[in-house]
Amino acid sequence: MMLKHTGKIILCLGFLLMIPSRPFFAQNETFDLIIKGGTVYDGLSEENRTADVGIQGDKIIRVGDLSQATAQRIIDASGLIVAPGFIDIHTHSDFNPFLEPHAVHKISQGVTTEVIGNCGMSAAPLYGFQEKAVHEVWLREGEPIPADIPWHSAGEYFEEIQAAGLMTNLAFLAGHGNLRASVMGYEARKASPHEMEGMISLLNQAMDAGAFGMSLGLVYLPGTYADESELDALASEVKKRRGIVAVHMRSEGKTLIESLTETLALARKTGVPLEISHLKAAGVRNWPKIDQAISMIEQARAEGLEIHADAYPYEAAAAELGVILPDEIYQAADRVAQLKDKGKRPFIKKRVLEEFEKSGLTLNQIEVSQASLPEDKIYEGKTVADIAQAEKKDPVDALLDFLAKENFQASAFSFTQNPAIVSRVIAKDYVSIGSDNIADFGPKPHPRVYGTFPRVIEKFVKKEKTLSLGQAIHKMTGLPAGVMGMKDRGCLQTGCYADVVIFDLGTIQSNASYENPAQLSSGIQYVFVNGEMAFEDGKGTGVLAGQVLRHEAKGSEVTRA
């Protein structure tokens, strides 16, 4: 059965690359590598077949019977699964190549391509206020980025990151927060016509350099200040260039439906393809809203709008700790001063408790994952309720004091999702898998940093059986490649790039837990990036074969399913 492709059609060349005069499986062909006798999934269909895969350079040249061919190396994949390398459609790996270029936390999961620049925050462009603010933006998420950044534009960033060496391929989205802060800082107001021209210019520069589109982080500063006209104008530019807009909505909890209404209106008005980031319903009182949210998305898709989403296979989110506060407090320019003002504390506590009551949130569900101050590191891995007990404070007072002391530069896990809803969302045929990884090298990262992709197979294919293996692989390969418009990626066919993962279905599993997250997964045998062995026998090879992928913003319109 052919899976319905819900994004841009992947331009695998397949039979078009074959020379008609040659037999389909030419005898005595020589390859750099033959992967022999594995169960092959092409990433585009649910079906599989036993076949050999012949690789020459960075491309797949043949898939079929290569028993008469020779190769410099032959890997016996009998009893193993051979699939396209996994594509992580939602990451924050923008600075990872500069921090830990040989870290194997993603390649060990079978990930060969990552989409970076999500949630409105990216490594470029960096001008004006954003050139200085970028360090604080990433530190609040637990990522201490290099002090000296030798780029301003997206194009300059691409050159620097390619020169640093890449473990995986990277596809870039320009963060709306970067665009806005580069032009007008964090000012809580409507952009002027001149400022809009500045944002549009920076966006176009990024897409000229190869950005696949733009990301929005409407729950974070400064994205939260953007109004409808600003978002429409920028999304319209992305549409003109056949890109995509990824949206972290204003709310995934108490105003989920209102936020989704705004997001879908953006697509209806501009026609831009949308990727809804980490689709969820956060907070026990908001869980029933997922029914209406799914209905709204599917109605929009039935209208012909290109709406997709991504999700990760965990019940805990990770974000800035401060976002759990009411918007009027979190977004205030003097928010630290407000929290320290004893006269305002009773009113602030009242508002916080009101918001918690609406969502069903308790401070037992909020666990500090990253603190910026050395003296607060003892609280990493502790809930806010634990901190209150240790400091003998009221829990809300402990939260507010902690945020003020940390200058809001702290992040947390929020255990607010329903496992049944997570499973239901991931089963939808328009939902890709995205890890949302960040703070990869801190003492206590989210387990999704190390285990997302094996966990999808372990949990939904092997245990719950809510997905077939072919469906799961499609969600991690062909679907995200099509959504993003990646040419010849996410597919295992003649003419596709040789991004390949080989794994043992019987032993594949995530070993990362919240208590002990920095554990590599099991079952991944080999990973190839652009035809080069990047992971073998449980270890990285040290090869940095990844490439900065560049979106083709011009040319004929891609046919859509």
Side-chain angles (χ1 to χ4, degrees):
M1 181 182 79
M2 180 65 71
L3 288 171
K4 180 180 179 183
H5 200 290
T6 54
K8 301 177 182 177
I9 287 182
I10 301 172
L11 304 179
C12 290
L13 301 182
F15 294 103
L16 297 178
L17 288 184
M18 302 290 291
I19 301 173
S21 62
R22 299 177 66 185
F24 182 60
F25 299 122
Q27 294 186 3
N28 302 320
E29 281 191 292
T30 300
F31 300 92
D32 291 335
L33 171 69
I34 292 177
I35 302 169
K36 191 173 182 62
T39 301
V40 175
Y41 287 83
D42 65 8
L44 307 178
S45 71
E46 190 176 350
E47 304 305 321
N48 66 75
R49 59 173 171 146
T50 301
D52 307 325
V53 179
I55 295 171
Q56 187 73 30
D58 63 355
K59 289 291 187 74
I60 296 169
I61 305 301
R62 298 278 185 272
V63 181
D65 180 2
L66 302 181
S67 58
Q68 302 302 310
T70 60
Q72 295 182 29
R73 180 173 183 179
I74 296 176
I75 292 177
D76 183 0
S78 301
L80 301 176
I81 306 299
V82 183
F86 300 148
I87 297 172
D88 190 339
I89 199 171
H90 189 108
T91 84
H92 297 279
S93 299
D94 303 46
F95 288 96
N96 288 2
F98 303 107
L99 299 171
E100 293 283 348
H102 291 281
V104 297
H105 59 288
K106 299 304 282 293
I107 204 79
S108 63
Q109 299 179 54
V111 173
T112 58
T113 298
E114 301 179 71
V115 179
I116 59 175
N118 279 284
C119 295
M121 52 185 287
S122 55
L126 299 178
Y127 295 97
F129 181 84
Q130 185 65 8
E131 188 174 359
K132 296 180 176 61
V134 64
H135 295 88
E136 180 178 336
V137 169
W138 286 80
L139 184 61
R140 75 192 184 198
E141 299 289 352
E143 194 93 356
I145 63 176
D148 297 319
I149 298 177
W151 67 79
H152 294 282
S153 70
E156 291 167 344
Y157 166 67
F158 295 165
E159 292 175 4
E160 292 287 340
I161 203 166
Q162 187 68 71
L166 302 178
M167 184 73 74
T168 61
N169 302 309
L170 298 180
F172 176 81
L173 296 170
H176 166 252
N178 289 62
L179 304 176
R180 194 175 218 271
S182 289
V183 171
M184 56 184 296
Y186 276 32
E187 295 189 30
R189 60 175 175 80
K190 179 182 176 68
S192 70
H194 177 70
E195 288 164 339
M196 281 306 311
E197 288 177 5
M199 281 189 260
I200 289 171
S201 176
L202 290 178
L203 174 60
N204 285 335
Q205 287 176 27
M207 294 202 70
D208 283 343
F212 282 74
M214 176 182 68
S215 73
L216 302 175
L218 300 180
V219 71
Y220 300 121
L221 303 178
T224 187
Y225 301 138
D227 65 4
E228 179 182 353
S229 62
E230 179 177 327
L231 300 180
D232 286 349
L234 292 168
S236 294
E237 291 297 317
V238 175
K239 169 64 176 175
K240 289 177 188 176
R241 292 166 172 269
R242 302 180 179 88
I244 189 168
V245 174
V247 187
H248 182 135
M249 298 187 295
R250 294 191 192 271
S251 172
E252 297 164 340
K254 64 181 183 296
T255 59
L256 170 62
I257 301 306
E258 294 85 347
S259 298
L260 182 56
T261 298
E262 176 191 37
T263 298
L264 297 179
L266 182 66
R268 289 189 171 99
K269 189 168 183 179
T270 67
V272 73
L274 290 183
E275 174 75 7
I276 298 173
S277 298
H278 30 66
L279 178 60
K280 64 171 78 80
V284 63
R285 289 192 173 84
N286 300 312
W287 291 349
K289 297 177 182 178
I290 198 66
D291 294 324
Q292 185 178 352
I294 288 173
S295 178
M296 290 168 66
I297 292 170
E298 294 179 355
Q299 174 59 40
R301 286 171 53 80
E303 295 169 17
L305 297 176
E306 292 184 72
I307 310 295
H308 295 85
D310 54 71
Y312 46 80
Y314 295 91
E315 291 74 58
E320 292 179 49
L321 176 59
V323 299
I324 68 174
L325 298 182
D327 289 345
E328 72 268 21
I329 300 170
Y330 170 71
Q331 297 173 14
D334 63 342
R335 57 189 182 177
V336 173
Q338 285 195 40
L339 297 193
K340 291 181 176 179
D341 188 329
K342 293 182 179 180
K344 293 183 178 179
R345 179 60 65 92
F347 172 75
I348 292 174
K349 285 182 65 175
K350 178 175 180 292
R351 285 291 297 117
V352 169
L353 289 169
E354 287 172 351
E355 292 299 301
F356 287 1
E357 176 63 25
K358 289 178 183 177
S359 65
L361 180 68
T362 71
L363 293 179
N364 285 310
Q365 297 172 306
I366 307 300
E367 179 181 306
V368 174
S369 59
Q370 181 73 30
S372 62
L373 298 175
E375 60 266 32
D376 288 339
K377 295 292 184 181
I378 59 171
Y379 292 132
E380 291 178 346
K382 304 294 185 183
T383 68
V384 175
D386 292 335
I387 296 173
Q389 184 175 16
E391 297 188 347
K392 296 181 171 55
K393 294 180 179 178
D394 170 82
V396 178
D397 281 323
L399 168 66
L400 300 178
D401 289 345
F402 186 81
L403 282 169
K405 183 182 178 185
E406 283 281 322
N407 195 29
F408 279 74
Q409 293 182 18
S411 55
F413 300 150
S414 301
F415 293 83
T416 58
Q417 296 183 63
N418 183 334
I421 292 177
V422 173
S423 298
R424 183 180 171 195
V425 167
I426 284 180
K428 292 295 179 179
D429 63 5
Y430 48 84
V431 174
S432 300
I433 304 302
S435 70
D436 198 14
N437 69 276
I438 196 167
D440 301 349
F441 313 115
K444 198 174 180 63
H446 194 295
R448 65 193 181 192
V449 172
Y450 284 82
T452 292
F453 290 80
R455 181 174 169 85
V456 167
I457 296 172
E458 175 190 10
K459 180 176 176 62
F460 303 115
V461 176
K462 295 169 64 175
K463 292 183 179 178
E464 296 185 4
K465 303 186 187 305
T466 52
L467 294 174
S468 70
L469 181 58
Q471 288 171 328
I473 289 173
H474 176 64
K475 286 176 170 294
M476 301 188 289
T477 58
L479 178 59
V483 170
M484 294 300 301
M486 294 176 183
K487 190 175 181 180
D488 300 335
R489 303 280 176 180
C491 50
L492 206 162
Q493 293 182 340
T494 298
C496 297
Y497 283 94
D499 298 334
V500 182
V501 58
I502 304 172
F503 63 90
D504 185 334
L505 181 59
T507 62
I508 190 169
Q509 67 178 36
S510 167
N511 297 315
S513 64
Y514 293 103
E515 296 74 24
N516 195 11
Q519 302 297 311
L520 297 184
S521 298
S522 303
I524 302 293
Q525 304 289 327
Y526 305 93
V527 181
F528 297 87
V529 178
N530 295 310
E532 297 195 44
M533 179 87 76
F535 190 79
E536 180 179 13
D537 295 333
K539 296 179 292 185
T541 64
V543 170
L544 299 177
Q547 296 291 317
V548 174
L549 306 184
R550 297 177 191 261
H551 176 59
E552 296 180 7
K554 299 178 181 179
S556 59
E557 186 69 45
V558 176
T559 304
R560 302 181 189 280

